[in-house]
Amino acid sequence: MKGNGGFKPAPTTTDPSGGYPTPGTQYSHYVPGETRWAMAVDLARCIGCGACTVACYAENNIPVVGPTEYKRGRDLSWLRIERYFGVGRENEEAYGDDATDDVRFLPMPCQHCNNAPCEPVCPVYAAYHTPDGLNGQVYNRCVGTRYCANNCPYKVRYFNWYNYAEPGGEWESWPDPLNMLLNPDVTVREKGVMEKCTFCVQRIRGAQNRARLEDRNVQDGDITPSCAQACPSEAIVFGDLRDPSSRVAALARDPRGYHVLADLNTQPAITYLAKVVHGAVVEG
């Protein structure tokens, strides 16, 4: 795989729930039969309220950078809500008087790609692949080259420009007593490192530890990321893609399912279910 530049095209099944990792793409630490964590997002249910984004901030100790830094492209939101106006591809359509008649919302966290472009470009191996299919990030190994962010087609990797965790510092985001809001299960990142969505790995490991202590396997529904927990319309479903009886595997096989930028062969773990438009005419 690496001998071909890391991105040798490989034939894949049309079933998003099958074949992880795809034969010929096992270039990282895969374990045969291991869990493959994945997510399904039903765009027909998503109302764009942003509750998932707020929950992600609270769960993962993400600082609020403010409007000035945001305008400079220095946001740190691990999960953004993309909005699309109209059904066409012309920019003018979004500026029409009737543009808001058809608005599509699309939550965009890290896709946890099976063939992740961010991993092979990291010179210090801070971006790596876990045996259960997550794109991990080692903060104390990262040297901030930002190669991973440059190579990510989804633009879901973010760089810490300032030390938001420094007590009494200029950019302190959690002055006393707000520091009591920090989640003790999640590392508070320092200046100069990349960060991104982790599928709430702290919740995954916590559920696995509880299951091990109870001498049982992790059951479908034991793990709920903060975004899925906060979603009022239950548009986000998380689980093991290799478990054919899981909800996420069933949704991944839904005819409405698709992957964002699937042509790039990144093999993302998130399946989006296309929004149902009443009265739409299907051609062909």
Side-chain angles (χ1 to χ4, degrees), residues 84-88 93 98-104 275 277:
Y84 299 93
F85 300 91
V87 296
E93 186 177 357
D98 59 346
T100 56
D101 293 348
D102 184 16
V103 183
R104 317 294 179 90
K275 181 179 179 180
V277 181

Side-chain angles (χ1 to χ4, degrees), residues 84-215:
Y84 299 93
F85 300 91
V87 296
R89 293 179 177 271
E90 301 298 329
N91 294 333
E92 291 74 14
E93 186 177 357
Y95 297 100
D97 294 336
D98 59 346
T100 56
D101 293 348
D102 184 16
V103 183
R104 317 294 179 90
F105 300 103
L106 190 145
M108 180 62 69
C110 173
Q111 300 291 298
H112 290 271
C113 305
N114 182 56
N115 190 19
C118 58
E119 294 172 6
V121 297
C122 181
V124 293
Y125 202 54
Y128 71 104
H129 218 79
T130 68
D132 47 1
L134 300 179
N135 299 132
Q137 180 74 14
V138 183
Y139 299 125
N140 59 359
R141 183 183 292 168
C142 178
V143 294
T145 63
R146 290 177 280 165
Y147 291 165
C148 56
N150 186 63
N151 220 37
C152 175
Y154 306 98
K155 302 308 173 189
V156 288
R157 282 179 163 269
Y158 305 94
F159 183 71
N160 273 274
W161 291 90
Y162 304 104
N163 192 349
Y164 296 100
E166 181 183 6
E170 179 183 0
W171 300 95
E172 182 183 13
S173 290
W174 301 282
D176 188 69
L178 294 182
N179 56 348
M180 299 180 68
L181 296 173
L182 293 174
N183 185 351
D185 295 329
V186 180
T187 302
V188 180
R189 283 75 61 189
E190 294 287 341
K191 172 184 176 181
V193 301
M194 300 297 302
E195 60 181 65
K196 65 173 199 64
C197 163
T198 64
F199 270 174
C200 288
V201 66
Q202 68 279 1
R203 296 192 176 196
I204 295 176
R205 302 298 179 243
Q208 289 173 330
N209 290 336
R210 287 192 299 272
R212 186 177 67 253
L213 292 174
E214 296 172 4
D215 195 23

